[in-house]
Amino acid sequence: MRLIILGPPGAGKGTQADFIVKKYKIPHISTGDILRENIKDETDLGKKAKDYMDKGSLVPDELVIALVQERITREDCKEGFLLDGFPRTTAQAVALDAELRKLGISLDRAINIMVDPELLIERAVGRRVCKTCGATYHVTFNPPEEEGKCDIDHTTLIQRDDDTEETVKNRIQVYTNQTSPLIDYYKAQGLLLNVNGAQEIDAVFNDIVAGLEQ
Ligand code: ADP
Ligand code: AMP
Ligand code: ZN
């Protein structure tokens, strides 16, 4: 299954992606995670991306497109993949289509997680992540068993640098201007699966599975 997951920052893309990739046994490709990894490792890409990410702006298309083109041609993507956080601009979506055509494959669905802007800031600002395994928690909505510690490996949870209220507001604006047009782009291709993201995590996942298996 070849999937993309769309939605504003804090909608729950990463959370749902973790469940989806377990169920369908496909790799989870999060461009945000890959970019943060590059920043941590101080690679050339990481150095180029950092200032944009800190501000909540988009990293230039050519950098992100090249990274995804390389990633989806790896062996583990043969049976499918889930792209999370990509595409984020029409140029990225067009480049993805071109790359898939070149590879002789196509997307099966574009999952769109819909959440009203009022909920997004609280979700993103309360997000806590594990540096070791990538697990995502929320201080109120999805707390770990022991406060501040990952359930899986007990690493101390951290807050992302870009999860401050001010940066989240900017990221929502960027989403509205540059990414939300992709909803119509995928609707026109007959691939859009709209899901109400303002429900409990399990209920959102149930709706995604029901939609994918329709
Ligand atoms: P995204 O990848 O879209 O930015 P995340 O999956 O990281 O979003 O979720 C953002 C925050 O909201 C996290 O702290 C997560 O635990 C929490 N969250 C995710 N889905 C829900 C939900 N359905 N209800 C409440 N909180 C949620
Ligand atoms: P995310 O982890 O998806 O919330 O992404 C965090 C940040 O990484 C974004 O605010 C952007 O700065 C950058 N980023 C991630 N994916 C992309 C993309 N497809 N295009 C441009 N920038 C991206
Ligand atoms: Zn962990």
Side-chain angles (χ1 to χ4, degrees):
M1 184 127 53
R2 296 185 183 91
L3 303 170
I4 65 170
I5 189 159
L6 295 168
K13 299 182 295 296
T15 301
Q16 297 301 327
D18 284 339
F19 290 117
I20 296 166
V21 300
K22 271 199 199 98
K23 182 167 173 73
Y24 295 103
K25 301 187 175 59
I26 48 177
H28 177 187
I29 303 175
S30 156
T31 45
D33 284 350
I34 296 171
L35 291 167
R36 280 184 289 276
E37 193 75 13
N38 274 272
I39 291 177
K40 197 179 77 192
D41 296 344
E42 298 179 359
T43 66
D44 278 352
L45 173 61
K47 284 177 195 150
K48 287 179 189 153
K50 187 175 185 326
D51 286 348
Y52 297 102
M53 290 175 72
D54 285 346
K55 280 188 294 202
S57 312
L58 294 184
V59 173
D61 283 336
E62 62 272 19
L63 297 177
V64 191
I65 289 168
L67 132 67
V68 171
Q69 279 172 337
E70 188 277 324
R71 183 64 188 84
I72 63 172
T73 49
R74 286 197 208 161
E75 186 64 27
D76 65 340
C77 290
K78 277 236 149 60
E79 302 301 323
F81 50 77
L82 170 61
L83 289 172
D84 164 10
F86 181 94
R88 259 180 160 97
T89 62
T90 303
Q92 291 179 17
V94 169
L96 175 64
D97 278 346
E99 182 65 21
L100 294 175
R101 216 173 305 120
K102 212 169 86 186
L103 297 170
I105 55 182
S106 55
L107 291 176
D108 294 300
R109 294 309 279 274
I111 302 162
N112 178 35
I113 307 201
M114 302 181 301
V115 178
D116 285 339
E118 308 87 84
L119 291 177
L120 296 173
I121 293 175
E122 194 182 2
R123 283 197 185 176
V125 171
R127 169 163 47 196
R128 298 292 182 271
V129 293
C130 174
K131 258 201 166 154
T132 306
C133 72
T136 299
Y137 301 87
H138 190 281
V139 288
T140 317
F141 305 133
N142 185 24
E145 279 164 28
E146 186 187 339
E147 195 183 324
K149 301 273 184 213
C150 179
D151 292 345
I152 298 157
D153 47 43
H154 269 78
T155 305
T156 299
L157 300 176
I158 55 160
Q159 188 169 17
R160 272 169 48 174
D161 292 340
D162 60 351
D163 276 344
T164 60
E165 183 163 344
E166 197 194 334
T167 310
V168 173
K169 280 185 180 155
N170 188 38
R171 285 159 56 206
I172 294 170
Q173 200 58 50
V174 168
Y175 165 82
T176 305
N177 296 339
Q178 304 199 58
T179 308
S180 67
L182 296 183
I183 296 171
D184 282 343
Y185 182 92
Y186 288 108
K187 192 172 177 194
Q189 294 192 13
L191 294 177
L192 195 68
L193 171 60
N194 280 322
V195 175
N196 172 14
Q199 319 174 68
E200 300 269 322
I201 292 173
D202 292 354
V204 179
F205 182 58
N206 286 340
D207 283 1
I208 291 174
V209 172
L212 292 177
E213 296 186 355
Q214 230 167 40

